[in-house]
C-alpha cells in the first residue's frame, strides 16, 4: 500500500475489507487492530470475508493477520468488538436492501464463550442503518446482560430478542438469526387470500439451491405464523413452527416479515437473500397465473432427453429415459474399479436396506401407474362408498396449504394436493385405500425389477435380512410387494420402514434409528438408493456401504452420486 497514492488512501477505492492503507490502519500502539467506531466499515481482518462451506469463518477465527502481515491473536474483547461492528455493518446493508427500514428488522449473532455463548443484539427503535458497534448489547444464554451498549446504557434490547433466543435454543447449531421486513416476504404471506395457510411451498427455482440442502426441483416449505401486536408475542408461535417443521431454517410472519437463521452469519445472509429472491419470484409467478408450488409441465433439467418432440405437451413425469442415468452405453468398468461393490454376506454385512423407487421398482411405476390410478379411479371409488366422509379432512389440508376459498368436492381437494405433491395424511389414507382396492381387484400389480426376487431368495438362503425404507407408507409398501409382478414377495422381506417409523430419508439420524431398531451397528448395514441426498445422509450416519442404484429412467447423477459404488442389478450384491 502506497501512502502517496491518493486513490488508495480514499476509502472504497483500490482496496477492500481489511486491506487498509497505513493512514487508515486501525492499529493500536500495542500492535492490535482497533476495529471500532469510524473503522466499523473495515472490520474484515483478511482481504475478504471467509465464505460459507468451511468451518473457518471470520468469526470462528481467534488468530488473524492484518493486511500488513502482522499476526494477531484475538482476545474475547476484540472478538466482541468485531461482532458488534459486524452487526452494525450488516444492519446497514439490510436497510439498503429494504429489509430493515423504519427501524424494524435486524440481526443477532452469537459466538462461543468458554462453555456458553455470548449473544449480541441490537437496540430497539434506532435507525438500523446508523448503528455503530457501541450500540450493541452483549448477553449470555440466560439473557442476562453482560455488557450494555457503551454508547448509551439506557437503550432497550431489540423487541426481537425473545425470538433470537427461541432459535438459539431450538437450533443448537444456529449462530446468526436475521429478521427482515422485506416487502417480498410480506406479499408472499398474502398469496393465500384466506390468510389461513400455515406454510408456503415453492419449487423449481434455481435460487432454491441457496436455501439449506434444496435442489432446484425440491419443494421449499416455509411455515407461516400470524402476526401479533408486539414482536415478543410471536415467540410461542415461532417455537411451535420451528418444532413442527424440523427441517426449516426460516419462518414467515404474516403481513410482517421473515425470520431466517444459519450456522454462520454468512450462511444466514445467503439463505435470507435466496429466500427473499424466491419469495419475490413466487409473488410475480402468481400474478402471471403460475402456481409456484406446482412443478412445471416441462423444462426441468430432470427432463433432459432431447429425442422427444412433444416436450411442450407431455408432462415430465411421463418421460421414460432410455439409458442408465442418461448414459446410453452402460459401461461400468470404471465404476467397478473405483468403487468396490459390497457383497453380502461375504464382506461381513448383516442386513440390506433398500429404497423402492429407482431401486427395487421403476420410478415410472409410481409416477405413471400408481398416482394416475388415484386420479383416474377417484370418482368411481367414491361412488361405491357414498358414506365415507373424506371431505372435511381433505379440506383442512388444502386450507392449511394455501388453498384459498374452501373447495367443495373431494376431487378438487385431491387434485390440489396431488398437483403440489403435498404430504397430506388425509390424502395418503385415501390413496392407500384406493390402491388396496386396485391391488385386490387385480387392476394394479407392483412393479419390481427382474433381479429382485432372485436377490431376495439369495439373501434369505444366506441369512441376510432385507428391509425396505421408503417415504411411501409401510401400508403402501406391503401392497406393492405383496402384489408384485413377481408374486407375493412379503415372505422374503424382513421388515419395512417409512417416515413415521424412521424419519426422513435425507436425515442421517433416520439411518441410526433404523440400525437401533434392528439391533445392529450402522456399519453392519448396506443401503441402496438412487437418491444422492439419501446416500449422503446414510454415509454420514456410518452406514457400512451406501450404494447407488442405477436403473433406466433414474435421474442423472452428479459428481456426488458418482462417488458411491454403483450397481446396475441387485444381484451384484450377492456374494459368492
Ligand atoms: C417498525 S418496527 C416494529 C417492531 C418490529 O417489527 C421489529 O422488527 C423490531 O424492531 P426493534 O427496533 O425492536 O429491533
Ligand atoms: Zn419485525
Amino acid at each position: 500500500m502506497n501512502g502517496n497514492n491518493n486513490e488508495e488512501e480514499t476509502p472504497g477505492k483500490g482496496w477492500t475489507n481489511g486491506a487498509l492503507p497505513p493512514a487508515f490502519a486501525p492499529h493500536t500502539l500495542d500492535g492490535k487492530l482497533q476495529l471500532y467506531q469510524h473503522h466499523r466499515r473495515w472490520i474484515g481482518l483478511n482481504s475478504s470475508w471467509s465464505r460459507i462451506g468451511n468451518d473457518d469463518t471470520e468469526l470462528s477465527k481467534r488468530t488473524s493477520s492484518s493486511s500488513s502481515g502482522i499476526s494477531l491473536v484475538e482476545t474475547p474483547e476484540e472478538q466482541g468488538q468485531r461482532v458488534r461492528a459486524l452487526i452494525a455493518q450488516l444492519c446497514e446493508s439490510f436497510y439498503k436492501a429494504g429489509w430493515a427500514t423504519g427501524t424494524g428488522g435486524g440481526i443477532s449473532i452469537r459466538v462461543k464463550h468458554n462453555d456458553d455463548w455470548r449473544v449480541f443484539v441490537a437496540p430497539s427503535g434506532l435507525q438500523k442503518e446508523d448503528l455503530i458497534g457501541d450500540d450493541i448489547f452483549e448477553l449470555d444464554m440466560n439473557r442476562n446482560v453482560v455488557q450494555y451498549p457503551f454508547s448509551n446504557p439506557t437503550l432497550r434490547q431489540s423487541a426481537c430478542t425473545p425470538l433470537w433466543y427461541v432459535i438459539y435454543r431450538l437450533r443448537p447449531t444456529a449462530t446468526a438469526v436475521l429478521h427482515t421486513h422485506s416487502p417480498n416476504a410480506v406479499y408472499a404471506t398474502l398469496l393465500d387470500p384466506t390468510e389461513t395457510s400455515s406454510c408456503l411451498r415453492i419449487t423449481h427455482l434455481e435460487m432454491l439451491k441457496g436455501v439449506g440442502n434444496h435442489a432446484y426441483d425440491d419443494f421449499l416449505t416455509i411455515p407461516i405464523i400470524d402476526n401479533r401486536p408486539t414482536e415478543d408475542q410471536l415467540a410461542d408461535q415461532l417455537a411451535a413452527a420451528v418444532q413442527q417443521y424440523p427441517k426449516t431454517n426460516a419462518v414467515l410472519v404474516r403481513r410482517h416479515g421473515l425470520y431466517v437463521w444459519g450456522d454462520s452469519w454468512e450462511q444466514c445472509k445467503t439463505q435470507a437473500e435466496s429466500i427473499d429472491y424466491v419469495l419475490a419470484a413466487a409473488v410475480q409467478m402468481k400474478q402471471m397465473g403460475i402456481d409456484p408450488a406446482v412443478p412445471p409441465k416441462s423444462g426441468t433439467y430432470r427432463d433432459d432427453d432431447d429425442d422427444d418432440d412433444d416436450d411442450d405437451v407431455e408432462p415430465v413425469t411421463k418421460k421414460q429415459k432410455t439409458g442408465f442415468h442418461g448414459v446410453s452405453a452402460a459401461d461400468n468398468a470404471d465404476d467397478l474399479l473405483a468403487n468396490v461393490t459390497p457383497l453380502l454376506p461375504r464382506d461381513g454385512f448383516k442386513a440390506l436396506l433398500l429404497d423402492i423407487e429407482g431401486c427395487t421398482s421403476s420410478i415410472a411405476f409410481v409416477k405413471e401407474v400408481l398416482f394416475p390410478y388415484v386420479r383416474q379411479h377417484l370418482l368411481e371409488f367414491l361412488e361405491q362408498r357414498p358414506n365415507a366422509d373424506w371431505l372435511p379432512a381433505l379440506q383442512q389440508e388444502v386450507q392449511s396449504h394455501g388453498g384459498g376459498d374452501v373447495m367443495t368436492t373431494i376431487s378438487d381437494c385431491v387434485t390440489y394436493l396431488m398437483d403440489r405433491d403435498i404430504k397430506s395424511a388425509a390424502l395418503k389414507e385415501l390413496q392407500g385405500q384406493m390402491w388396496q382396492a386396485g391391488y385386490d381387484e387385480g387392476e394394479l400389480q407392483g412393479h419390481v425389477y427382474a433381479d429382485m426376487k432372485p436377490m431376495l431368495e439369495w439373501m434369505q438362503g444366506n441369512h441376510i435380512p432385507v428391509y425396505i425404507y421408503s417415504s411411501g407408507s409401510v401400508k403402501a409398501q406391503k401392497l406393492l410387494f405383496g402384489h408384485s409382478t413377481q408374486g407375493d414377495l412379503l415372505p422374503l422381506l424382513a421388515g419395512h420402514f417409512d417416515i413415521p417409523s424412521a424419519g426422513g430419508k435425507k436425515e442421517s439420524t433416520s439411518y441410526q434409528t433404523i440400525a437401533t431398531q434392528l439391533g445392529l451397528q450402522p456399519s453392519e448395514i448396506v443401503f441402496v438408493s438412487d437418491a444422492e441426498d439419501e446416500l449422503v445422509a446414510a454415509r454420514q450416519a456410518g452406514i457400512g456401504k451406501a450404494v447407488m442404484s442405477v436403473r433406466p429412467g433414474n435421474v442423472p447423477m452428479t459428481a456426488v452420486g458418482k462417488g458411491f459404488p454403483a450397481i446396475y442389478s441387485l444381484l451384484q450384491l450377492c456374494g459368492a
Side-chain angles (χ1 to χ4, degrees):
M1 197 63 62
N2 178 355
N4 295 326
N5 183 328
N6 282 342
E7 183 177 85
E8 289 191 347
E9 286 186 3
T10 307
K13 292 213 172 155
W15 47 278
T16 57
N17 268 357
L20 301 183
F24 288 94
H27 291 132
T28 58
L29 284 179
D30 60 1
K32 291 181 179 163
L33 280 187
Q34 205 229 313
L35 299 163
Y36 225 36
Q37 295 285 31
H38 63 287
H39 293 124
R40 66 187 172 86
R41 223 167 294 284
W42 306 301
I43 54 179
L45 297 181
N46 294 328
S47 55
S48 65
W49 294 106
S50 310
R51 299 262 56 87
I52 302 165
N54 56 27
D55 289 338
D56 191 23
T57 67
E58 196 68 28
L59 279 176
S60 64
K61 276 196 179 69
R62 301 303 301 270
T63 308
S64 311
S65 53
S66 74
S67 57
S68 56
I70 303 167
S71 184
L72 302 160
V73 177
E74 193 178 46
T75 65
E77 290 71 30
E78 287 166 342
Q79 186 186 40
Q81 282 194 333
R82 185 156 51 77
V83 178
R84 289 182 170 88
L86 176 59
I87 288 178
Q89 185 177 8
L90 288 172
C91 280
E92 181 177 356
S93 57
F94 297 150
Y95 168 82
K96 286 180 180 157
W99 293 0
T101 52
T103 78
I107 186 167
S108 165
I109 294 174
R110 66 172 173 173
V111 294
K112 267 276 177 217
H113 185 268
N114 301 326
D115 288 337
D116 196 18
W117 295 91
R118 288 289 185 257
V119 178
F120 293 85
V121 305
S124 184
L126 263 59
Q127 308 292 315
K128 291 287 177 345
E129 68 280 20
D130 280 345
L131 294 180
I132 58 170
D134 272 346
D135 296 330
I136 307 299
F137 285 84
E138 180 177 347
L139 314 173
D140 66 15
M141 271 307 283
N142 294 320
R143 231 188 126 176
N144 299 312
V145 178
V146 175
Q147 180 61 61
Y148 284 95
F150 296 110
S151 60
N152 180 356
T154 65
L155 290 174
R156 282 179 302 118
Q157 296 164 26
S158 166
C160 307
T161 306
L163 291 97
W164 311 138
Y165 276 78
V166 164
I167 303 302
Y168 288 145
R169 291 196 177 112
L170 293 176
R171 293 284 197 264
T173 60
T175 62
V177 192
L178 166 57
H179 172 45
T180 85
H181 281 194
S182 162
N184 294 328
V186 172
Y187 304 150
T189 65
L190 300 172
L191 290 178
D192 160 26
T194 68
E195 300 192 36
T196 54
S197 56
S198 56
C199 67
L200 178 69
R201 278 162 69 80
I202 302 171
T203 188
H204 283 76
L205 287 173
E206 182 67 11
M207 286 291 272
L208 289 175
K209 291 177 183 170
V211 189
N213 286 323
H214 288 83
Y216 157 79
D217 52 358
D218 279 343
F219 284 83
L220 170 68
T221 303
I222 308 179
I224 305 177
I225 60 175
D226 285 323
N227 200 22
R228 290 283 180 269
T230 61
E231 197 90 28
D232 56 319
Q233 291 171 20
L234 294 167
D236 288 348
Q237 286 185 90
L238 180 69
V242 170
Q243 283 164 315
Q244 198 188 336
Y245 292 83
K247 281 191 249 164
T248 196
N249 39 34
V251 172
L252 281 160
V253 187
R254 215 180 314 273
R255 292 178 178 259
H256 180 155
L258 176 78
Y259 277 84
V260 51
W261 52 93
D263 294 352
S264 65
W265 69 266
E266 296 100 322
Q267 188 190 48
C268 176
K269 177 170 171 284
T270 301
Q271 294 194 151
E273 288 163 355
S274 305
I275 290 173
D276 199 65
Y277 179 102
V278 298
L279 294 178
V283 171
Q284 284 287 338
M285 287 164 79
K286 200 80 180 204
Q287 284 173 2
M288 294 160 74
I290 302 167
D291 190 333
V294 177
K297 296 277 184 241
S298 62
T300 132
Y301 67 56
R302 307 264 179 186
D303 176 19
D304 62 348
D305 56 344
D306 50 13
D307 50 358
D308 284 323
D309 53 8
D310 56 356
D311 278 0
D312 291 337
V313 290
E314 188 81 347
V316 60
T317 51
K318 293 201 172 176
K319 302 276 177 176
Q320 177 79 14
K321 309 285 188 302
T322 46
F324 290 105
H325 283 295
V327 180
S328 48
D331 175 3
N332 65 338
D334 287 349
D335 285 343
L336 293 178
L337 281 179
N339 299 302
V340 180
T341 305
L343 297 177
L344 295 96
R346 203 191 71 176
D347 292 344
F349 297 107
K350 295 196 174 145
L352 179 59
L353 184 64
L354 299 175
D355 169 42
I356 296 181
E357 274 185 83
C359 178
T360 67
S361 311
S362 72
I363 292 177
F365 170 66
V366 179
K367 298 260 190 301
E368 293 177 23
V369 178
L370 275 187
F371 285 106
Y373 180 87
V374 172
R375 293 183 198 259
Q376 285 157 12
H377 293 78
L378 181 63
L379 294 180
E380 173 194 334
F381 177 84
L382 295 173
E383 269 166 25
Q384 289 165 6
R385 292 158 186 80
N387 297 325
D389 197 9
W390 299 97
L391 193 57
L394 288 166
Q395 280 173 325
Q396 201 182 337
E397 301 271 17
V398 169
Q399 286 299 107
S400 70
H401 287 88
D405 293 340
V406 176
M407 291 182 184
T408 51
T409 69
I410 293 176
S411 173
D412 283 349
C413 293
V414 167
T415 304
Y416 182 91
L417 295 169
M418 286 186 71
D419 280 353
R420 288 157 184 78
D421 194 23
I422 291 169
K423 307 279 179 260
S424 143
L427 175 65
K428 275 196 174 180
E429 181 57 33
L430 174 59
Q431 286 170 326
Q433 290 201 20
M434 288 190 65
W435 289 329
Q436 166 113 50
Y439 283 117
D440 287 347
E441 286 158 23
E443 288 182 344
L444 286 173
Q445 264 200 324
H447 173 263
V448 291
Y449 285 109
D451 46 72
M452 177 70 170
K453 189 172 181 191
M455 179 277 298
L456 288 174
E457 286 168 344
W458 164 276
M459 294 297 165
Q460 193 169 65
N462 287 275
H463 312 293
I464 296 290
V466 181
Y467 298 89
I468 302 294
Y469 179 28
S470 167
S471 48
S473 68
V474 168
K475 181 180 174 186
Q477 296 175 25
K478 288 185 173 170
L479 286 170
L480 191 160
F481 293 112
H483 302 79
S484 90
T485 44
Q486 294 178 354
D488 181 4
L489 299 178
L490 292 179
L492 296 168
L493 290 168
H496 300 260
F497 295 95
D498 59 6
I499 294 174
S501 59
K505 297 187 77 186
K506 295 178 188 174
E507 313 293 324
S508 65
T509 48
S510 306
Y511 299 87
Q512 285 152 350
T513 303
I514 290 174
T516 306
Q517 289 189 32
L518 299 182
L520 294 173
Q521 294 299 319
S523 59
E524 295 173 311
I525 299 172
V526 172
F527 172 59
V528 189
S529 171
D530 66 318
E532 295 178 346
D533 290 349
E534 296 175 11
L535 296 176
V536 169
R539 184 167 59 189
Q540 244 171 17
I543 285 288
K545 276 281 182 194
V547 178
M548 169 62 75
S549 166
V550 181
R551 299 286 196 182
N554 285 3
V555 295
M557 274 188 278
T558 69
V560 174
K562 288 175 186 162
F564 291 92
I567 56 168
Y568 300 82
S569 159
L570 293 170
L571 285 166
Q572 286 176 259
L573 299 170
C574 301

